[in-house]
Amino acid sequence: GVGGKISNYLRSKKIAKIKDLIWDFPYSYTDRSNLAKLDQLEIGKILTIKVKPTKYNFPRLRNLPNKVICEDDKGKINIVFFNSRENYIKKVLPLNNWVIVSGKINYFKKNYQITNPSYIEKVEGLSKIQKIMPKYNLTEGLTEKMYRKIIDQVITDLPDLNEWHDESIIKQFKFDSWKFSVQKMHSSSVKGDTNNKFFKRLVLDEIISNLIILSKNRNIIKSKKSRKIFDNSISNNIFKNLSFELTHDQKKVINEINQDLKSDKRMFRILQGDVGSGKTIVSLITLANVVKAGYQTSLMAPTDILAKQHYELSKRVFDKMDIKIDYLSGKTDPKKRKNILEKINSGEINLLIGTHSLFQKKIKFKNLGYVVIDEQHKFGVKQRMDFAQKGGKNCDVLLMSATPIPRTMMLSLYGDMDVSKLIQKPKARLPIQTFSKPEKKIIELIDLIKKNIKKNNQIFWVCPLIKESKLVNYSSVIKRYEWLQNIFKSKVGIIHGAIKKDEKDKILNNFLNKKIKILVSTTVIEVGIDFPNANLIIIENANKFGLAQ
């Protein structure tokens, strides 16, 4: 029952395979088990009623809804349909025949009504509706009925898998089989309770399988490497030439990384640190030592703009040093690209900076010794393994992330890595002030923005992704953009996920070059880009955002 159209709807819900449906557990349950009389209706509740249609009201004006007046021995209710044909309505709600209707109760012009009911059945089909039904997060285009039909097929046809847990574990925790546990999680009997044995069983499966992959990963990564021992003379020279003093944390982390680089085992380390804590300078200083040892290095960032910023910074840091640096992205001119690929292959380039394109099969390094990946939370375990294998047995890997991750989650996500943290902020950083305002006082922010623009500061204004529907989050950003544009005219820019990549880069460059003073955006700006002049960020409906965001 899933064709091209429904496939697209499912894809927008990040469902591409059967397994994605299996793990899409219900978030809540709707109780349709009790039949309500028309004098027991509650506004806003989903109820199931047994009624008799007595009159049709099909207006001849377009855009007006069709209406069926229904009643029981206790009262009347209107069943309202938008975008429904008369023939369909007459078929499902024949006059003077008892039917079962289930849907949300509303109140309009002194009458109770159900608009576009979820279920309409003949009286003999009551058992199909009279259940406690799981509720799933649905996107535009998917109805509850449609999605349940798909899920039910999958859950019914689950395979019986051989048990992989030890028998003593099964007995100790009174676990059921994998198949039965999944089926229970999609049934009404657990009612969204994540403290039940079925959920615990599936959680244990996931944690153990993850740890097995991570330990396999670690064994591959922590293999022996054979390469020249190098000294710290280059990094010490860079220390002296910097226009600022490194923090204690930065020096400590550089030392940790250098110890790994010198050791006979490959490094696979994650460097965590808040935005502005100085992760990039740490990575560049450690890159220099590997270059001196005669190996090539690579620094990868998720966006063209961030990669370009790293390229400009590295040129300043390595000024007057014999380190050949180049930049490669998907937008690099084909002729220049060919020339860069030849230089990488011959070993002429010491440090290559770029985007994901650095990991294409065509790019072959002569002797890659060290890879740094910025904003690594965009990649999973599989990609980490691919990165680690790219440079062969002699390649060390450093991942960097500004995403705050609690320690317990860190172990389950990054059990294959060593962890370094930058907690101290550079001395020159002023303390950050955070304020909360109710939405009705939004006008008070205009003075704050005007003061910041006078000081030549720039402003981010972030609106939330309310739903997966493009129409909804799109309009909220546009509405705020138009409101600000009325006040600040051409000083306001807008960016969101529906804008094409080239246009997005152009807007971000205009903001970077101070042509735009206020940038209204969705969360597309969350990938680390260095905007040193943007000193104010306004976040609407901050409660809509999670920890990582």
Side-chain angles (χ1 to χ4, degrees), residues 221-226 264-266 393-394:
I221 291 149
K222 290 287 180 180
S223 56
K224 294 261 182 186
K225 66 185 179 198
S226 53
D264 62 350
K265 288 197 175 164
R266 291 176 67 200
K393 289 180 180 176
N394 283 323

Side-chain angles (χ1 to χ4, degrees), residues 290-302:
V290 181
V291 171
K292 198 190 176 206
Y295 288 87
Q296 290 172 294
T297 57
S298 172
L299 172 55
M300 188 181 86

Side-chain angles (χ1 to χ4, degrees), residues 16-30:
K17 297 179 179 181
I18 296 286
K19 70 177 180 69
D20 301 326
L21 282 164
I22 292 170
W23 298 124
D24 184 37
F25 295 138
Y27 72 91
S28 180
Y29 292 81
T30 303

Side-chain angles (χ1 to χ4, degrees), residues 56 63 131 178 186 219 222 225 286 323 330 369 449 510:
Y56 297 131
N63 299 328
K131 295 174 184 172
W178 175 85
H186 284 275
N219 288 339
K222 290 287 180 180
K225 66 185 179 198
T286 57
I323 294 177
I449 291 171
N510 283 341

